[in-house]
Short mmCIF file of all heavy atoms in Angstrom, two decimals:
data_model
loop_
_atom_site.label_atom_id
_atom_site.label_comp_id
_atom_site.label_asym_id
_atom_site.label_seq_id
_atom_site.Cartn_x
_atom_site.Cartn_y
_atom_site.Cartn_z
N MET A 140 117.28 92.95 161.49
CA MET A 140 118.09 93.41 162.61
C MET A 140 117.75 92.58 163.86
O MET A 140 116.59 92.38 164.19
CB MET A 140 117.78 94.89 162.88
CG MET A 140 118.52 95.83 161.94
SD MET A 140 120.31 95.91 162.18
CE MET A 140 120.41 97.15 163.45
N PHE A 141 118.76 92.11 164.54
CA PHE A 141 118.54 91.17 165.67
C PHE A 141 118.47 91.89 167.00
O PHE A 141 118.17 91.29 168.00
CB PHE A 141 119.63 90.12 165.67
CG PHE A 141 121.00 90.52 165.32
CD1 PHE A 141 121.87 90.93 166.34
CD2 PHE A 141 121.45 90.66 164.01
CE1 PHE A 141 123.14 91.38 166.07
CE2 PHE A 141 122.70 91.07 163.72
CZ PHE A 141 123.56 91.45 164.72
N THR A 142 118.81 93.18 167.00
CA THR A 142 118.56 94.05 168.17
C THR A 142 118.62 95.47 167.60
O THR A 142 119.01 95.70 166.48
CB THR A 142 119.58 93.82 169.26
OG1 THR A 142 119.16 94.53 170.44
CG2 THR A 142 120.97 94.32 168.89
N HIS A 143 118.25 96.44 168.43
CA HIS A 143 118.34 97.83 168.05
C HIS A 143 119.83 98.25 167.83
O HIS A 143 120.69 97.74 168.57
CB HIS A 143 117.72 98.74 169.09
CG HIS A 143 116.22 98.57 169.24
ND1 HIS A 143 115.37 98.85 168.18
CD2 HIS A 143 115.47 98.22 170.27
CE1 HIS A 143 114.13 98.62 168.64
NE2 HIS A 143 114.16 98.23 169.86
N HIS A 144 120.05 99.13 166.86
CA HIS A 144 121.45 99.54 166.69
C HIS A 144 121.94 100.30 167.91
O HIS A 144 123.13 100.39 168.18
CB HIS A 144 121.64 100.38 165.44
CG HIS A 144 121.15 101.81 165.47
ND1 HIS A 144 120.17 102.28 164.66
CD2 HIS A 144 121.57 102.85 166.23
CE1 HIS A 144 119.96 103.56 164.94
NE2 HIS A 144 120.78 103.95 165.88
N GLN A 145 121.05 100.77 168.76
CA GLN A 145 121.42 101.49 169.99
C GLN A 145 121.91 100.49 171.03
O GLN A 145 122.43 100.88 172.09
CB GLN A 145 120.25 102.25 170.57
CG GLN A 145 119.81 103.44 169.72
CD GLN A 145 118.72 103.10 168.70
OE1 GLN A 145 118.65 101.96 168.25
NE2 GLN A 145 117.89 104.03 168.37
N ALA A 146 121.83 99.19 170.74
CA ALA A 146 122.35 98.17 171.60
C ALA A 146 123.56 97.47 171.01
O ALA A 146 123.91 96.35 171.45
CB ALA A 146 121.26 97.16 171.97
N MET A 147 124.17 98.12 170.01
CA MET A 147 125.30 97.53 169.30
C MET A 147 126.50 98.43 169.44
O MET A 147 126.40 99.64 169.31
CB MET A 147 124.99 97.39 167.80
CG MET A 147 123.91 96.36 167.52
SD MET A 147 123.58 96.23 165.72
CE MET A 147 122.52 94.80 165.63
N ILE A 148 127.68 97.83 169.72
CA ILE A 148 128.93 98.57 169.83
C ILE A 148 129.82 98.09 168.70
O ILE A 148 130.11 96.89 168.59
CB ILE A 148 129.62 98.31 171.19
CG1 ILE A 148 128.70 98.88 172.33
CG2 ILE A 148 130.94 98.99 171.28
CD1 ILE A 148 127.66 97.88 172.79
N TYR A 149 130.32 99.03 167.89
CA TYR A 149 131.17 98.75 166.76
C TYR A 149 132.57 99.15 167.07
O TYR A 149 132.83 100.24 167.55
CB TYR A 149 130.65 99.54 165.50
CG TYR A 149 129.22 99.32 165.15
CD1 TYR A 149 128.20 100.08 165.72
CD2 TYR A 149 128.87 98.37 164.26
CE1 TYR A 149 126.86 99.88 165.37
CE2 TYR A 149 127.53 98.16 163.90
CZ TYR A 149 126.55 98.93 164.48
OH TYR A 149 125.23 98.68 164.10
N ARG A 150 133.50 98.25 166.76
CA ARG A 150 134.93 98.56 166.92
C ARG A 150 135.39 99.40 165.77
O ARG A 150 135.23 99.06 164.61
CB ARG A 150 135.78 97.29 167.05
CG ARG A 150 137.29 97.56 167.30
CD ARG A 150 138.02 96.31 167.67
NE ARG A 150 137.90 95.22 166.69
CZ ARG A 150 138.61 95.13 165.60
NH1 ARG A 150 139.57 96.07 165.30
NH2 ARG A 150 138.48 94.12 164.78
N ILE A 151 135.91 100.61 166.07
CA ILE A 151 136.26 101.55 165.04
C ILE A 151 137.27 100.97 164.05
O ILE A 151 137.19 101.16 162.83
CB ILE A 151 136.82 102.85 165.65
CG1 ILE A 151 135.73 103.56 166.46
CG2 ILE A 151 137.38 103.79 164.54
CD1 ILE A 151 134.60 104.07 165.69
N GLY A 152 138.24 100.18 164.58
CA GLY A 152 139.25 99.62 163.68
C GLY A 152 138.64 98.69 162.61
O GLY A 152 139.20 98.53 161.55
N ALA A 153 137.47 98.11 162.95
CA ALA A 153 136.82 97.17 162.03
C ALA A 153 135.98 97.91 161.01
O ALA A 153 135.64 97.30 159.93
CB ALA A 153 135.97 96.14 162.79
N VAL A 154 135.51 99.12 161.26
CA VAL A 154 134.58 99.80 160.38
C VAL A 154 135.12 101.09 159.85
O VAL A 154 134.40 101.90 159.29
CB VAL A 154 133.22 100.08 161.15
CG1 VAL A 154 132.61 98.79 161.63
CG2 VAL A 154 133.44 101.02 162.31
N ARG A 155 136.44 101.26 159.97
CA ARG A 155 137.04 102.55 159.58
C ARG A 155 136.76 102.95 158.14
O ARG A 155 136.62 104.12 157.83
CB ARG A 155 138.58 102.49 159.78
CG ARG A 155 139.31 103.79 159.62
CD ARG A 155 140.74 103.68 160.02
NE ARG A 155 140.91 103.26 161.40
CZ ARG A 155 140.85 104.18 162.39
NH1 ARG A 155 140.67 105.47 162.14
NH2 ARG A 155 140.99 103.80 163.67
N ASP A 156 136.60 101.99 157.29
CA ASP A 156 136.30 102.30 155.85
C ASP A 156 134.86 102.01 155.49
O ASP A 156 134.55 102.06 154.32
CB ASP A 156 137.24 101.47 154.95
CG ASP A 156 136.99 99.94 155.10
OD1 ASP A 156 136.53 99.55 156.21
OD2 ASP A 156 137.30 99.20 154.13
N LEU A 157 134.00 101.78 156.46
CA LEU A 157 132.54 101.57 156.22
C LEU A 157 131.80 102.84 156.56
O LEU A 157 132.19 103.58 157.47
CB LEU A 157 132.06 100.41 157.06
CG LEU A 157 132.53 99.01 156.72
CD1 LEU A 157 131.89 97.99 157.70
CD2 LEU A 157 132.19 98.61 155.35
N ARG A 158 130.71 103.08 155.88
CA ARG A 158 129.83 104.12 156.20
C ARG A 158 128.40 103.67 155.93
O ARG A 158 128.11 102.74 155.25
CB ARG A 158 130.10 105.41 155.36
CG ARG A 158 131.42 106.05 155.71
CD ARG A 158 131.54 106.57 157.12
NE ARG A 158 132.79 107.22 157.45
CZ ARG A 158 133.84 106.55 157.94
NH1 ARG A 158 133.82 105.28 158.14
NH2 ARG A 158 134.98 107.22 158.23
N PHE A 159 127.45 104.38 156.56
CA PHE A 159 126.05 104.07 156.38
C PHE A 159 125.61 104.56 154.99
O PHE A 159 125.87 105.69 154.60
CB PHE A 159 125.23 104.80 157.49
CG PHE A 159 125.48 104.27 158.86
CD1 PHE A 159 126.47 104.84 159.64
CD2 PHE A 159 124.77 103.19 159.37
CE1 PHE A 159 126.74 104.40 160.91
CE2 PHE A 159 125.00 102.67 160.67
CZ PHE A 159 126.01 103.31 161.39
N ASP A 160 124.94 103.67 154.26
CA ASP A 160 124.53 103.97 152.92
C ASP A 160 123.27 104.84 152.90
O ASP A 160 122.21 104.40 153.22
CB ASP A 160 124.23 102.66 152.18
CG ASP A 160 123.91 102.83 150.70
OD1 ASP A 160 123.65 103.97 150.26
OD2 ASP A 160 123.85 101.79 149.97
N PRO A 161 123.39 106.13 152.47
CA PRO A 161 122.22 107.01 152.55
C PRO A 161 121.12 106.71 151.55
O PRO A 161 120.05 107.29 151.60
CB PRO A 161 122.87 108.39 152.23
CG PRO A 161 124.07 108.10 151.44
CD PRO A 161 124.60 106.78 151.97
N SER A 162 121.34 105.73 150.63
CA SER A 162 120.28 105.37 149.75
C SER A 162 119.17 104.54 150.50
O SER A 162 118.12 104.38 150.01
CB SER A 162 120.81 104.49 148.58
OG SER A 162 121.23 103.22 149.02
N TYR A 163 119.52 104.12 151.73
CA TYR A 163 118.52 103.49 152.61
C TYR A 163 118.10 104.54 153.65
O TYR A 163 118.92 104.98 154.45
CB TYR A 163 119.11 102.28 153.32
CG TYR A 163 119.55 101.13 152.41
CD1 TYR A 163 120.90 100.86 152.25
CD2 TYR A 163 118.67 100.36 151.74
CE1 TYR A 163 121.33 99.79 151.46
CE2 TYR A 163 119.05 99.29 150.95
CZ TYR A 163 120.44 99.02 150.83
OH TYR A 163 120.81 98.02 149.98
N GLU A 164 116.87 104.93 153.66
CA GLU A 164 116.38 105.85 154.66
C GLU A 164 116.19 105.18 156.03
O GLU A 164 116.39 105.83 157.07
CB GLU A 164 115.08 106.51 154.22
CG GLU A 164 114.59 107.58 155.19
CD GLU A 164 113.26 108.21 154.76
OE1 GLU A 164 112.65 107.72 153.81
OE2 GLU A 164 112.80 109.18 155.41
N ILE A 165 115.84 103.90 156.01
CA ILE A 165 115.45 103.18 157.21
C ILE A 165 116.44 102.07 157.55
O ILE A 165 116.77 101.87 158.69
CB ILE A 165 114.06 102.53 157.10
CG1 ILE A 165 113.05 103.57 156.58
CG2 ILE A 165 113.59 101.94 158.41
CD1 ILE A 165 112.83 104.74 157.52
N ALA A 166 116.94 101.33 156.54
CA ALA A 166 117.69 100.13 156.76
C ALA A 166 119.18 100.25 156.62
O ALA A 166 119.86 99.21 156.52
CB ALA A 166 117.17 99.04 155.83
N ALA A 167 119.71 101.49 156.60
CA ALA A 167 121.16 101.62 156.44
C ALA A 167 121.89 101.02 157.61
O ALA A 167 123.01 100.52 157.49
CB ALA A 167 121.50 103.10 156.31
N ASP A 168 121.31 101.04 158.84
CA ASP A 168 121.98 100.41 160.00
C ASP A 168 122.02 98.85 159.81
O ASP A 168 123.02 98.24 160.26
CB ASP A 168 121.27 100.76 161.26
CG ASP A 168 119.78 100.48 161.30
OD1 ASP A 168 119.22 100.14 160.24
OD2 ASP A 168 119.17 100.62 162.38
N TYR A 169 121.05 98.30 159.21
CA TYR A 169 121.06 96.87 158.92
C TYR A 169 122.23 96.49 157.95
O TYR A 169 122.99 95.56 158.17
CB TYR A 169 119.70 96.43 158.35
CG TYR A 169 119.50 94.95 158.03
CD1 TYR A 169 120.00 93.99 158.86
CD2 TYR A 169 118.79 94.56 156.92
CE1 TYR A 169 119.83 92.63 158.60
CE2 TYR A 169 118.60 93.21 156.63
CZ TYR A 169 119.10 92.29 157.52
OH TYR A 169 118.91 90.94 157.22
N ALA A 170 122.31 97.21 156.85
CA ALA A 170 123.37 96.99 155.88
C ALA A 170 124.75 97.23 156.54
O ALA A 170 125.69 96.41 156.33
CB ALA A 170 123.20 97.90 154.68
N PHE A 171 124.89 98.24 157.32
CA PHE A 171 126.13 98.55 157.99
C PHE A 171 126.52 97.43 158.97
O PHE A 171 127.70 97.00 159.03
CB PHE A 171 126.04 99.86 158.74
CG PHE A 171 127.28 100.38 159.41
CD1 PHE A 171 128.17 101.13 158.71
CD2 PHE A 171 127.54 100.05 160.74
CE1 PHE A 171 129.38 101.59 159.33
CE2 PHE A 171 128.70 100.47 161.39
CZ PHE A 171 129.61 101.26 160.62
N THR A 172 125.53 96.94 159.69
CA THR A 172 125.80 95.89 160.67
C THR A 172 126.21 94.57 159.98
O THR A 172 127.12 93.88 160.43
CB THR A 172 124.58 95.65 161.54
OG1 THR A 172 124.24 96.84 162.25
CG2 THR A 172 124.77 94.50 162.54
N LEU A 173 125.51 94.21 158.93
CA LEU A 173 125.89 93.01 158.16
C LEU A 173 127.32 93.14 157.64
O LEU A 173 128.08 92.13 157.70
CB LEU A 173 124.92 92.79 157.01
CG LEU A 173 123.49 92.39 157.37
CD1 LEU A 173 122.64 92.27 156.13
CD2 LEU A 173 123.45 91.09 158.17
N ALA A 174 127.72 94.27 157.13
CA ALA A 174 129.06 94.46 156.66
C ALA A 174 130.05 94.33 157.81
O ALA A 174 131.12 93.73 157.68
CB ALA A 174 129.20 95.79 156.02
N THR A 175 129.73 94.91 158.95
CA THR A 175 130.60 94.83 160.16
C THR A 175 130.81 93.37 160.54
O THR A 175 131.92 92.99 160.99
CB THR A 175 130.01 95.61 161.32
OG1 THR A 175 129.82 96.99 160.94
CG2 THR A 175 130.92 95.58 162.52
N MET A 176 129.80 92.58 160.47
CA MET A 176 129.84 91.18 160.91
C MET A 176 130.90 90.35 160.13
O MET A 176 131.33 89.30 160.54
CB MET A 176 128.49 90.52 160.83
CG MET A 176 127.49 91.07 161.85
SD MET A 176 125.84 90.48 161.62
CE MET A 176 126.02 88.72 161.79
N THR A 177 131.28 90.87 158.95
CA THR A 177 132.30 90.18 158.16
C THR A 177 133.73 90.59 158.56
O THR A 177 134.69 90.07 157.96
CB THR A 177 132.08 90.43 156.64
OG1 THR A 177 132.41 91.81 156.38
CG2 THR A 177 130.66 90.12 156.26
N ARG A 178 133.81 91.53 159.48
CA ARG A 178 135.13 92.15 159.82
C ARG A 178 135.82 91.56 161.00
O ARG A 178 136.90 92.01 161.38
CB ARG A 178 134.97 93.67 160.01
CG ARG A 178 134.39 94.39 158.75
CD ARG A 178 135.32 94.28 157.57
NE ARG A 178 134.87 94.98 156.42
CZ ARG A 178 135.18 96.29 156.13
NH1 ARG A 178 135.94 96.95 156.99
NH2 ARG A 178 134.77 96.85 155.01
N GLY A 179 135.19 90.58 161.69
CA GLY A 179 135.83 90.05 162.88
C GLY A 179 134.84 89.32 163.77
O GLY A 179 133.65 89.18 163.41
N PRO A 180 135.30 88.83 164.91
CA PRO A 180 134.40 88.11 165.88
C PRO A 180 133.25 88.96 166.31
O PRO A 180 133.29 90.21 166.26
CB PRO A 180 135.36 87.74 167.02
CG PRO A 180 136.73 87.87 166.50
CD PRO A 180 136.66 88.89 165.41
N ILE A 181 132.21 88.30 166.82
CA ILE A 181 130.98 88.94 167.33
C ILE A 181 130.77 88.48 168.73
O ILE A 181 130.87 87.28 169.04
CB ILE A 181 129.79 88.61 166.44
CG1 ILE A 181 130.05 89.08 164.99
CG2 ILE A 181 128.53 89.27 166.98
CD1 ILE A 181 129.10 88.48 163.96
N ALA A 182 130.48 89.42 169.63
CA ALA A 182 130.27 89.09 171.03
C ALA A 182 128.86 89.41 171.48
O ALA A 182 128.39 90.53 171.28
CB ALA A 182 131.25 89.80 171.93
N ARG A 183 128.22 88.40 172.07
CA ARG A 183 126.83 88.63 172.61
C ARG A 183 126.92 89.03 174.03
O ARG A 183 127.56 88.35 174.84
CB ARG A 183 126.02 87.28 172.44
CG ARG A 183 124.71 87.28 173.16
CD ARG A 183 123.71 88.25 172.53
NE ARG A 183 122.34 87.94 172.82
CZ ARG A 183 121.62 88.51 173.87
NH1 ARG A 183 122.25 89.41 174.63
NH2 ARG A 183 120.41 88.19 174.07
N LEU A 184 126.34 90.16 174.37
CA LEU A 184 126.39 90.67 175.75
C LEU A 184 125.16 90.18 176.50
O LEU A 184 124.04 90.27 176.00
CB LEU A 184 126.40 92.18 175.72
CG LEU A 184 127.54 92.85 174.90
CD1 LEU A 184 127.37 94.37 174.88
CD2 LEU A 184 128.91 92.48 175.45
N PRO A 185 125.31 89.71 177.74
CA PRO A 185 124.22 89.15 178.54
C PRO A 185 123.46 90.20 179.34
O PRO A 185 122.99 89.88 180.46
CB PRO A 185 124.91 88.16 179.43
CG PRO A 185 126.21 88.75 179.72
CD PRO A 185 126.61 89.46 178.43
N PHE A 186 123.30 91.37 178.82
CA PHE A 186 122.61 92.42 179.57
C PHE A 186 122.04 93.47 178.57
O PHE A 186 122.51 93.60 177.43
CB PHE A 186 123.51 93.11 180.58
CG PHE A 186 124.79 93.68 179.99
CD1 PHE A 186 124.81 94.98 179.50
CD2 PHE A 186 125.96 92.92 179.93
CE1 PHE A 186 125.96 95.53 178.96
CE2 PHE A 186 127.15 93.48 179.46
CZ PHE A 186 127.18 94.76 178.92
N PRO A 187 121.01 94.22 179.01
CA PRO A 187 120.47 95.29 178.16
C PRO A 187 121.44 96.47 178.06
O PRO A 187 122.05 96.86 179.07
CB PRO A 187 119.19 95.67 178.84
CG PRO A 187 119.36 95.35 180.26
CD PRO A 187 120.26 94.13 180.28
#
Side-chain angles (χ1 to χ4, degrees):
M140 281 290 272
F141 40 94
T142 192
H143 293 298
H144 77 242
Q145 293 91 331
M147 294 180 170
I148 296 87
Y149 303 89
R150 182 167 59 82
I151 296 296
V154 301
R155 188 172 299 277
D156 62 334
L157 293 178
R158 292 298 181 268
F159 295 90
D160 184 347
S162 70
Y163 298 110
E164 184 183 6
I165 310 297
D168 54 351
Y169 182 40
F171 184 88
T172 299
L173 291 177
T175 302
M176 291 171 61
T177 69
R178 301 298 183 91
I181 302 165
R183 170 68 161 94
L184 306 175
F186 55 88

